[in-house]
Every structure is written in C-alpha cells, then in structure tokens.
Amino acid sequence: MSQSVSDGGVLEMARRQLDQAADRLGLDEGARKVLKQPQRVLMVSFPIKMDDGRMEVFTGYRVQHNFARGPSKGGLRYHPLVTLDEVTALSMWMTWKCAVVDIPFGGAKGGVVCNPKELSVGELERLTRRFTSEIGIIIGPEKDIPAPDVYTNPQVMAWIMDTFSMNKGYSIPAVVTGKPIEMGGSHGRLEATGRGCVYTIQDAAARLGMELKGARAVVQGFGNVGQAAAKALAELGVKIIALADSNGGIFAIDGLDLAAVLAHKDQTGSVTGMPGTESMSSSEILELECEILVPSALENQIRGDNAGRIRAKLIAEGANGPTTPEADEILLKKGVTVIPDILANAGGVIVSYFEWVQGIQHFFWTEEEVNAQLRRRMTASFDVVYSTKEREGCDMRTAAYLVALKRVSEAMQLRGLYP
Ligand code: NAP
C-alpha cells in the first residue's frame, strides 16, 4: 500500500504554508490563530457487520476548517493511513482552494480509516451508509457538502445522498457532489480535476514559452485525477513517458499508449507489468527527465531529500500536498515552476460547485456549458495568481496563498466576531 503522511507532518506543513503567506500579507495575529485551527471536528467510531458475521469498528472524521465564505466543501477519503492531522490539513487546503478560485465555500474534508480494496461491495456500502448517518448532524447542502477523494467514487456519493435523504424523508441531491449523472451528478465532474489541471498547464506553458506538442510528461497516480490529466495531456500531443500507481511505475521513452495501459490496469489491477515498458518505483518516475510532472497520488512525494533530483521544468500538483516546503525552496532555486495544488487541482471543486448549483436549482447544464465555465474560471484564477506572483516577486504557491488568504480574512473581518 502507498506511503502517506501518518504523523503530524502534513498539518505542520499546512500551517507553515499559512504562516509564510500571512507574514507577507501582514495578517494580524488573531486571524492567524483562527485560521490555524479547524472550526469544527467530528470523530466517529462505528460498528459494521462484516460479510463473515464478525463485527468491526471503524474510525472516521469530518473536519470543517472555515465557514467565512460559505458552507464548507471537501472530499471524503477512504485509506488505511488516514489520520486526524491529515484530514485537518486537507480541510485547510480546501479553504484556500475555494477562495483562490472564488467560489462561495469554506473548506472541509473527511476520511475513514479503512482499506477499501479489502472490503466487499456490501461492506463498503454499509460502512458508507453508517458513516453518513454518523456525520449527518453536520453535513447538508447549506452546511457542508462532501465529494469524492482518494478511494471514493460516484457510487459512494450515491450511497451518501441516498442515506442522507432517507434519514430526512425526501431527496436531497445537493448534500454531496461527484454523484453519478443519472441521479443528479454533473456532466464533466468525473474528469474535472484532471481537465482543470491541464488547463493550468496550458496557461503556464503559454507564459513559459513551452511547446506542449511533443513535450514529455510523467504522471504519478493513475486514478480519477491522474487518468483524466494524462488523457487531456495526450490530447494536446504531450507524450506520457511514465505513470505510476500504488504498486509501482512504468516508463517508455517513446511514450505510453494510454488506452492500452488502461486496459492492462482494468485487467490486472495495476499499471505495473505493462508489456513493452520498463519497471520503476513510484518515486523513481518523479526524477525522470521531462518537461511536465503531475503528481496525482498522495501527500509528501517531493521532499527535501529528492527535490534536488527533480528534472521537470513544470510541476502541476494534481494531488493535494505532494510538495513539502523544503522541496519548494529547492525547486524555486532550480527554476522549476510549481503550479500549487490549491490552484492546479481546483477543477474538481469548481465543477462540484456547478453540480451543487444545478442540484439546488434542479436545472442541469450540458457538458459543453460545464467545460466552458470551468475553463473560464481556471484561467481567470490562474491569471490572478500569476500576476500576483509577478507583482510580489514570489513563487506561485505563495501567490495563490496571498490571493486566498486575503479573500478569507476579508470575509472574516466583514462578518466580525460573534458574540
Ligand atoms: P483515486 O481515484 O483513488 O486515485 C488515487 C491513485 O493514486 C490511484 O491510482 C492509486 O493507485 C495511486 N496511488 C496511491 N498511492 C500511490 C503511490 N504511493 N504512488 C503512486 N500512486 C499511488 O484518487 P484521486 O481522486 O485521483 O485523488 C488523487 C489525489 O488528487 C489526492 O491527493 C486527492 O486529494 C487529489 N484531488 C482529488 C480530487 C478529485 O476530484 N477526485 C480533487 C482535487 C484533488 P492504485 O490505482 O493502485 O490504487
């Protein structure tokens, strides 16, 4: 199973990123104190009847970081290494992400400590339904709206919507986003994060004078985000030379045939062992010579100890938190452009916002409308961040934080302190 950050490192990292931007912005101490803590944390332990008749107890979390700009929004992760610190850091990043792309949400995140690959469909459904009932007291279309994240998918969202609706007595599609289209999901949501990430790569390439046709890309993580990003890059003529999933990586100097890799993964469960490719570890592919690197798996992949060996010119963070602050410093000195997670992977939450709006209005958009609006918002957000970077003479992460932090702190100030 994959490496995650199972200690407090990732929360410390999120707070350090906040401090750096807060220093630059001259944010007052009070606001800083508020933003370092989540507003609300719910931890639940709940029993599930397993298929063999045993009872198992699972632990789950829902963390709501900040509501200053609206109801909170963020994914739900099923992974054996989920911790409260990890979910809290992810909820903070959601606050900045929603602010940087200017959608009216605060940040939240949830997780259940489990290995979904070892659960049957029935066990997964029971776990999801019971967890939904447990957190049902703090979620809802006007309160907090979950969405898919690592190892959760549209089916899990459908169970959440159904359970929440059953408990209330009527259908409430807008309680969750990333649902199947057949029951109130939005066209374009499945691919939105990867597609949005590639829009930011296009915008960055235009500024850097980088030709995308024929450029080489490496994508770590071949799930929802990694697959959609790889496909969108390939459509632009980018050569995908390496991919990795939780079992390891594959490399082909002349480029991979994505359809064949997908078929191989469908058949075997992994990209590894793909005929005609060289095997590599998931961390080795990060160090390959390429123009574009898209980490799309988990946190803490590019660190102080390997950042010096990164040879990509442009990194677009499909994943949340793949680069540590130590690595950021090294990459900046090396002249590597990093499009930060809170901007690069915001396409998912943008289309989740569109799905929420459609659900509330019971009026649905075409895929063309969704994609056009996504493109417009991604590019507008990229432009604001890029011009802030130029003006401030900083890297793009700091610039994105400056934009986000200013919006969140202004909303907090205008609302004032209650009581
Ligand atoms: P996903 O569909 O569950 O896919 C996760 C992928 O990462 C899988 O291919 C998995 O491998 C792979 N993986 C896990 N550990 C790995 C490792 N150590 N090395 C290489 N690959 C590894 O999850 P996702 O939704 O794509 O999320 C990926 C990242 O994007 C997360 O950081 C998430 O927070 C972020 N994100 C997601 C969304 C969204 O809309 N889904 C939005 C914004 C950000 P296997 O296939 O072998 O399991």
Side-chain angles (χ1 to χ4, degrees):
M1 188 38 79
S2 52
Q3 275 291 303
S4 182
V5 180
S6 53
D7 56 16
V10 75
L11 181 55
E12 200 186 299
M13 165 175 153
R15 289 186 173 141
R16 215 166 122 189
Q17 290 167 335
L18 166 62
D19 266 332
Q20 274 168 5
D23 285 346
R24 230 176 224 268
L25 202 63
L27 193 71
D28 72 78
E29 203 48 46
R32 211 187 279 232
K33 266 192 215 161
V34 170
L35 290 169
K36 277 193 180 167
Q37 301 294 339
Q39 262 183 261
R40 189 178 286 154
V41 176
L42 181 61
M43 174 181 159
V44 295
S45 292
F46 56 95
I48 295 297
K49 181 75 97 36
M50 308 304 278
D51 290 349
D52 62 6
R54 253 179 329 120
M55 194 177 79
E56 199 64 76
V57 175
F58 291 88
T59 298
Y61 307 98
R62 186 72 189 170
V63 177
Q64 298 171 342
H65 174 251
N66 188 274
F67 313 117
R69 289 170 43 86
S72 54
K73 183 99 193 71
L76 185 58
R77 178 174 292 198
Y78 288 175
H79 195 282
L81 300 178
V82 161
T83 65
L84 180 56
D85 274 0
E86 181 190 47
V87 177
T88 305
L90 288 161
S91 75
M92 284 176 81
W93 289 327
M94 284 308 300
T95 299
W96 317 137
K97 194 181 300 181
C98 293
V100 87
V101 296
D102 208 6
I103 55 176
F105 291 129
K109 205 80 179 192
V112 176
V113 187
C114 67
N115 186 349
K117 292 184 182 179
E118 288 172 359
L119 299 176
S120 70
V121 174
E123 289 167 341
L124 203 60
E125 177 172 355
R126 293 196 289 282
L127 178 147
T128 301
R129 288 187 180 280
R130 179 62 189 254
F131 178 63
T132 304
S133 289
E134 296 286 347
I135 64 166
I137 49 175
I138 60 165
I139 63 168
E142 311 84 16
K143 297 183 187 174
D144 178 15
I145 307 109
D149 191 74
V150 174
Y151 297 159
T152 58
N153 57 26
Q155 175 61 76
V156 171
M157 299 306 118
W159 290 327
I160 294 176
M161 181 273 187
D162 185 66
T163 306
F164 189 81
S165 299
M166 285 293 144
N167 288 341
K168 296 282 180 194
Y170 58 100
S171 287
I172 309 173
V175 64
V176 74
T177 59
K179 297 179 293 292
I181 288 170
E182 296 79 356
M183 40 154 306
S186 176
H187 287 289
R189 172 60 185 89
L190 204 59
E191 307 81 10
T193 309
R195 183 176 281 144
C197 183
V198 173
Y199 290 155
T200 66
I201 291 172
Q202 286 179 279
D203 291 338
R207 310 278 179 145
L208 297 171
M210 178 192 285
E211 176 63 61
L212 286 178
K213 205 169 164 45
R216 294 160 300 175
V218 169
V219 180
Q220 185 200 45
F222 202 50
N224 175 283
V225 180
Q227 286 181 21
K231 256 192 230 167
L233 282 171
E235 279 165 18
L236 296 173
V238 174
K239 203 160 62 169
I240 312 296
I241 59 164
L243 290 170
D245 61 21
S246 65
N247 294 293
I250 52 172
F251 168 64
I253 198 153
D254 294 325
L256 294 157
D257 174 350
L258 283 182
V261 178
L262 263 174
H264 178 78
K265 186 166 168 71
D266 274 349
Q267 238 174 16
T268 67
S270 176
V271 298
T272 56
M274 171 77 195
T277 66
E278 195 181 312
S279 297
M280 281 190 177
S281 73
S282 168
S283 51
E284 276 169 344
I285 70 160
L286 300 175
E287 298 173 18
L288 286 166
E289 189 181 331
C290 63
E291 280 69 45
I292 304 157
L293 175 59
V294 190
S296 308
L298 296 168
E299 304 91 292
N300 218 13
Q301 299 299 304
I302 307 174
R303 303 169 304 266
D305 62 319
N306 64 353
R309 295 193 297 274
I310 301 287
R311 287 184 282 169
K313 294 187 175 60
L314 176 64
I315 299 178
E317 296 183 329
N320 287 306
T323 313
T324 65
E326 293 77 20
D328 266 335
E329 275 177 36
I330 297 168
L331 295 170
L332 184 64
K333 280 195 195 119
K334 279 165 69 89
V336 180
T337 301
V338 180
I339 312 172
D341 46 9
I342 59 171
L343 174 64
N345 69 41
V349 78
I350 290 176
V351 177
S352 273
Y353 166 53
F354 299 159
E355 181 174 332
W356 178 76
V357 168
Q358 293 171 78
I360 284 170
Q361 297 183 338
H362 305 282
F363 182 76
F364 290 86
W365 310 355
T366 64
E367 179 151 13
E368 291 68 36
E369 285 167 327
V370 169
N371 289 343
Q373 289 278 357
L374 171 64
R375 175 82 218 208
R376 194 179 62 75
R377 280 196 183 251
M378 289 300 300
T379 295
S381 309
F382 184 95
D383 287 348
V384 171
V385 171
Y386 203 87
S387 58
T388 304
K389 161 195 137 65
E390 299 279 273
R391 194 183 64 238
E392 296 287 325
C394 61
D395 60 315
M396 281 190 76
R397 189 181 319 278
T398 308
Y401 265 76
L402 289 176
V403 173
L405 205 48
K406 188 161 183 294
R407 288 179 179 159
V408 175
S409 59
E410 277 173 0
M412 281 166 56
Q413 204 174 10
L414 285 166
R415 287 180 65 156
L417 202 58
Y418 172 88

